[in-house]
Amino acid sequence: MPASTASEPIPPPPPCSASRASPPAHCPPSSTWAATSPPTPSRRTTCWHRWCRTDLHTVDDGILQHLYPTVDSGEWDLLIAHFLGVDHCGHKHGPDHPEMAKKLTQMNEMLRSLVDHLGNDTLLLVAGDHGMTETGDHGGDSEKEVNAALFVYSKTPLFGTGPPEEPEAVPQVNLVPTVALLLGVPIPYSNIGEVMAELFSGDGDAVSAALQQLSVYHINAKQVDRFLHSYSLVAQDLPAEQLQHLQELFSSAVEEHAQLLAQVQGVTLVPPELESRLGSLIGRFQLYLREARAVCTQSWARFHPLRMVGGCTLIAASCLLCYVASELAAASDSFYRSCLLYPLLWGLVVAVLLGLARAFTQEGLDLLLVLSWAAAASQLGFFWHWWGRHPKRARLAGSQPPLASIGLRQRLRAWLGLAFPMGILLFRCGAMFSDSFVVAEARVAPFLLASLVMLLVGKLHWDGRLTVSEGPRQQLLGFSSYRREIWYLLCFVAMLLVCVRLSGFFHQCREEIPQCRPSLFLSPLASLRNTRAKNLFYLLCVALLAGLVYAVRSWLRHYGNLNSSDPLVLFVRWGFPLVVLCIACFWAVASSTDDSLGKLQELVQVAVVAFPWAVYGLASMGLLLLLCNPMTVFAKDTRESAGSIVTPYLGVPSSEVDFLHVIPQIYKRMQESQKSRLERGSCKATVAAYGLGSVYSAALVIALTLLGFLLMLLHSERLSLAFLLLFLEAFMLLHIHTRARGLAGDAEPFSVPWYAVISWLLAASQFFYSTGHQPIFPAIHWNAAFVGFHLDHGTNLLPAVLVGANTFASHILFAVGCPLLLLWPFVCEMPSSQRKKPKKEPREELQEVEEHMMEMRLRESPEKFSTALLQLGLKYLFVLGTQLLACVCAAMILRRHLMVWKVFAPKFLFESLGFVVSSICLLLGISLVMRVDCAVSTWFSQLQLR
């Protein structure tokens, strides 16, 4: 009988004690049972640690070693054997691998042998606690995960009738009262399951079987009634009308049960009408038990409309606050104090007052309510100060010229500049209200990203930013030619579209799309049967890791950030290759099969733990070095000596070597003399700093690379291809943003436009799906919790962090890298020598060379720099909050929808967790930039003291 576990709460497993007198019980399973039922003098337990997911045989072989001797001894009343090989094989290889066939064959042989050892008074229950998806995972609510087989066998006949043609679906909670009564122990207090009466038919006639089933139903109903009564007194959340109906139904059934027993007692021949009454009473007990479970299920899924509306209002006000604050950040000198500090103090005061009121009134402190009122007070304070101090900006248009004073074309351009990205954002938010769009969001997000980029190119063309007039005749005829920069922009756009298309190959499937097949890249290399294909994929994945390290080091070397001998630079040179080596070794040992290891099995078990911990340690060391000293700048002293640096004249040069030695020095001397004359006696530049123009971006690139290594370790090997596309697509987005700003001639370099922020977040959403995830519980990669751990975790915090990092990998990388949207245009600043400009005086040429400062332009206006970081963070939070608001409203409005628990509620949960993770990582990314800024200030201070 398949046991359906779809919607009922799963009870704890029964204890090892098995009879009324607590006779001896044997538990030769995993360590989970030892934690549930510790050994006692009458309870013998033999356990093996279960959480080594790559070990298929240790637990099973240990059970088989003790199982048959224990069964034959007869010194037990309850024997539990918890085999784990099939579960581990599914996680490691998948359900269709030859290793799975071996394990299933082993289980079949075990059952065949076990049946021969059973006595006539022994009942065998074979059950699975869950099912398995096509990738070997479980934990979700799909049919393949919540349906498992239940096989009941006894040499003595159990059922009065033959087996049904179709297997009966039994809720898993029904096992609790059934096993308890079979063992002769009380039914657990919180049980809401219904006893499986077929197992209590006995070997008598139909009346005796009905009386015995009626007896167990009566015991089951009394237990449920006792639970409902005590629970309703404590929780008081069960509907009173339904409780009254259940009480009446139970009382009438118990009263009729007592009357029937009085009539049947002492009667040798039961009249036919009493037999029908027995069947009718059994049906009434069944109705009571099923209605009681339905009432509990419905009551435990209650909704609070008032709190829902309040939560949506708070989120909407927070989004509006972020938008208003981002617009006011650069327009007010007292912005931080008047619009941020004072409202925060208001919120803290309200929270303290509410807490004191709750404490003095002796009422329970509702933390959620206090935090909600504090947030509302803070938001009201912000808007009050904003309205009072900036009345002219009440319409969010105070810093821009009135629309009436500019032409229609200019107004359309201004509106379209904001309408295109905001329209894409609103379309994405509106799609949250459609279950079809949520199910197909893995294709919607890439489409919206590509659409936004193409609309950006179209807007630049419509604004005339892509063309330049040739001359008077061409202008008269209306001809124009495209700028050279547009071809670079189109190349970046084309590469971005290719990355978007390729990322679709790493998709995960939902149950709502039955024709979908999950990507082959999601399964680990250990699931591949073809050894040659496994080796080729392994080499490709390792080559991609090495290519990523080479690309990062080449970028840092290009901008001069690998010239110093600081610990961080040395770690980038030597630590990055070492991290790649450890990941490659871990992939090698994790993808091997047990048969190919032989005597190296124990060594491999150590390596499976050691290599991930080596990666954790190296990455942590790199991040610690980055925080301690994020400067990757090499300073070289170029002050002249007392004598001339040019070789004295010794006659006519006699060889070409002499020319190669003398001429560069003469040129250098002439250049310095000209510079000295132009400066009119001012001090010469005596220090050359390499990598100073990209010092902020270099720190972020190093941090993102280390995080990328950690996140790739938590995913399957072939998903490293998806991470390569992630980094490449982010690189393309940054260059498209830089080229678009250059072509548009943006006069505000310290402000990141909305299209860049929205496209950055769309890419984060896109790669959430392109790294093999879906906003559903069956798609969670639970294996990430055991990367680097051989045994069970001592706490739930660490596995939750590992699984969360695996699930929200794209959110982490894009949130930490968000400040690059502000920094990248300065890094890619075009040198003056590469621009076509008319010939100018030497002094003007020198000034233009000095203007090529890259990220050091940010140091010219520290207040603008900090304001720009704040503005960028607020814009990012606004887009995140808007998406979260759409999910919350969809779950609230559609809470009675047929697909609310299948589509909208999981989407809301994943979006909420993604919002929290993205917000924290955004704060960490901005904090890293501020840490670099402090280090740069310290470096300049030390330089002035020389």
Side-chain angles (χ1 to χ4, degrees), residues 129 132 161 224 319 358 414 417 424 439 483 501 511 520 523 532 684 689 756 800 838 862 872 890 909:
D129 55 343
M132 184 179 298
T161 59
V224 172
C319 294
R358 286 278 182 173
I424 294 292
V439 169
R483 296 183 180 182
R501 176 63 65 178
E511 185 183 5
L520 298 176
S523 57
R532 178 176 297 179
K684 302 174 184 178
L872 175 61
L909 292 176

Side-chain angles (χ1 to χ4, degrees), residues 900-926:
V900 62
W901 300 116
K902 204 73 172 177
V903 176
F904 298 110
K907 176 62 178 175
F908 160 65
L909 292 176
F910 277 81
E911 197 71 30
S912 302
L913 292 175
F915 175 83
V916 174
V917 172
S918 298
S919 301
I920 295 175
C921 293
L922 174 66
L923 180 61
L924 294 177
I926 294 177

Side-chain angles (χ1 to χ4, degrees), residues 298-299 301-306 308 891-892 895-896 900-901:
Q298 293 176 0
S299 176
R302 293 176 304 151
F303 300 105
H304 297 276
L306 184 60
M308 290 180 178
M892 178 187 70
R895 62 185 180 275
R896 299 298 180 184
V900 62
W901 300 116

Side-chain angles (χ1 to χ4, degrees), residues 728-843:
L728 185 59
E729 185 170 316
F731 184 76
M732 293 299 108
L733 281 174
L734 291 173
H735 275 283
I736 290 173
H737 164 52
T738 301
R739 293 287 176 175
R741 293 196 63 172
L743 290 170
D746 197 345
E748 297 182 3
F750 288 91
S751 178
V752 179
W754 283 103
Y755 72 80
V757 179
I758 295 176
S759 62
W760 196 253
L761 272 164
L762 284 175
S765 299
Q766 170 204 345
F767 277 99
F768 170 78
Y769 297 97
S770 296
T771 49
H773 297 97
Q774 285 279 353
I776 50 176
F777 296 106
I780 295 178
H781 299 179
W782 299 107
N783 289 337
F786 308 99
V787 175
F789 294 91
H790 182 73
L791 303 177
D792 193 2
H793 291 282
T795 177
N796 292 329
L797 179 60
L798 185 58
V801 171
L802 294 176
V803 173
N806 173 282
T807 304
F808 301 103
S810 63
H811 296 73
I812 294 173
L813 293 174
F814 279 95
V816 173
C818 179
L820 289 174
L821 294 172
L822 174 64
L823 303 173
W824 205 261
F826 295 94
V827 176
C828 299
E829 184 181 62
M830 187 177 297
S832 302
S833 58
Q834 297 181 10
R835 301 173 184 170
K836 290 186 178 181
K837 292 187 176 181
K839 187 175 182 180
K840 300 183 179 181
E841 297 296 329
R843 177 179 295 276

Side-chain angles (χ1 to χ4, degrees), residues 10 60 79 82 127-128 158 164 166 183 281 342 349 413 495 513 523 526 534 638 661 737 785 827 837 891 943:
I10 300 177
D60 292 0
L79 179 62
H82 189 182
L158 291 175
E166 293 292 333
L183 294 175
L281 185 57
Y342 292 157
V349 169
R413 288 178 179 178
M495 294 181 65
I513 310 178
S523 57
K534 180 188 296 185
T638 61
H661 178 65
H737 164 52
V827 176
K837 292 187 176 181
L943 191 63

Side-chain angles (χ1 to χ4, degrees), residues 247-559:
Q247 183 63 39
E248 294 175 355
L249 186 61
F250 172 74
S251 300
S252 62
V254 170
E255 183 179 354
E256 185 175 355
H257 175 256
Q259 296 176 359
L260 273 177
L261 289 182
Q263 296 179 11
V264 173
Q265 188 175 5
V267 177
T268 56
L269 182 62
V270 179
E273 59 272 11
L274 286 182
E275 292 185 19
S276 62
R277 289 181 61 188
L278 285 175
S280 174
L281 185 57
I282 290 176
R284 292 174 64 181
F285 274 121
Q286 290 177 339
L287 178 63
Y288 167 77
L289 292 172
R290 293 170 185 176
E291 287 191 2
R293 188 178 66 206
V295 168
C296 293
T297 303
Q298 293 176 0
S299 176
W300 294 335
R302 293 176 304 151
F303 300 105
H304 297 276
L306 184 60
R307 291 196 174 191
M308 290 180 178
V309 173
C312 291
T313 304
L314 283 177
I315 297 175
S318 300
C319 294
L320 181 60
L321 187 151
C322 290
Y323 181 82
V324 173
S326 66
E327 294 295 324
L328 295 177
S332 176
D333 297 334
S334 59
F335 172 76
Y336 299 98
R337 183 175 62 256
S338 64
C339 290
L340 291 183
L341 180 59
Y342 292 157
L344 180 61
L345 293 177
W346 281 32
L348 292 177
V349 169
V350 171
V352 171
L353 292 177
L354 286 175
L356 292 176
R358 286 278 182 173
F360 283 112
T361 56
Q362 302 296 328
E363 296 183 6
L365 184 63
D366 191 345
L367 182 61
L368 180 62
L369 187 62
V370 171
L371 293 177
S372 300
W373 278 107
S378 178
Q379 291 172 353
L380 289 175
F382 170 83
F383 290 114
W384 177 269
H385 280 275
W386 166 64
W387 186 269
R389 299 179 66 91
H390 304 278
K392 295 181 180 181
R393 299 186 179 95
R395 294 178 299 172
L396 303 180
S399 60
Q400 298 179 2
L403 293 179
S405 62
I406 59 178
L408 178 60
R409 187 178 181 86
Q410 287 77 8
R411 274 186 285 173
L412 288 176
R413 288 178 179 178
W415 285 337
L416 289 177
L418 189 61
F420 281 147
M422 288 301 178
I424 294 292
L425 177 61
L426 291 177
F427 182 84
R428 170 170 166 75
C429 294
M432 303 293 184
F433 292 83
S434 170
D435 56 337
S436 300
F437 273 95
V438 174
V439 169
E441 193 178 9
R443 291 177 290 174
V444 174
F447 171 76
L448 294 179
L449 175 61
S451 301
L452 180 57
V453 173
M454 297 304 297
L455 287 174
L456 172 63
V457 176
K459 182 180 180 300
L460 290 174
H461 184 271
W462 188 65
D463 290 341
R465 301 294 184 177
L466 305 183
T467 58
V468 58
S469 300
E470 293 291 340
R473 184 176 181 181
Q474 285 80 0
Q475 289 180 0
L476 182 62
L477 297 176
F479 293 146
S480 60
S481 62
Y482 287 100
R483 296 183 180 182
R484 183 179 61 180
E485 291 82 359
I486 182 57
W487 304 114
Y488 294 105
L489 176 62
L490 293 180
C491 288
F492 290 134
V493 170
M495 294 181 65
L496 174 71
L497 297 179
V498 171
C499 292
V500 170
R501 176 63 65 178
L502 292 178
S503 65
F505 288 101
F506 303 91
H507 64 280
Q508 178 65 277
C509 291
R510 296 181 61 115
E511 185 183 5
E512 295 83 359
I513 310 178
Q515 68 274 13
C516 176
R517 293 293 177 267
S519 172
L520 298 176
F521 295 97
L522 302 182
S523 57
L525 289 179
S527 63
L528 291 180
R529 307 180 186 180
N530 192 327
T531 305
R532 178 176 297 179
K534 180 188 296 185
N535 294 335
L536 289 177
F537 273 114
Y538 173 77
L539 293 177
L540 177 60
C541 295
V542 174
L544 291 177
L545 277 180
L548 177 62
V549 172
Y550 176 78
V552 172
R553 292 177 58 178
S554 299
W555 186 89
L556 294 172
R557 187 181 297 110
H558 173 73
Y559 286 104

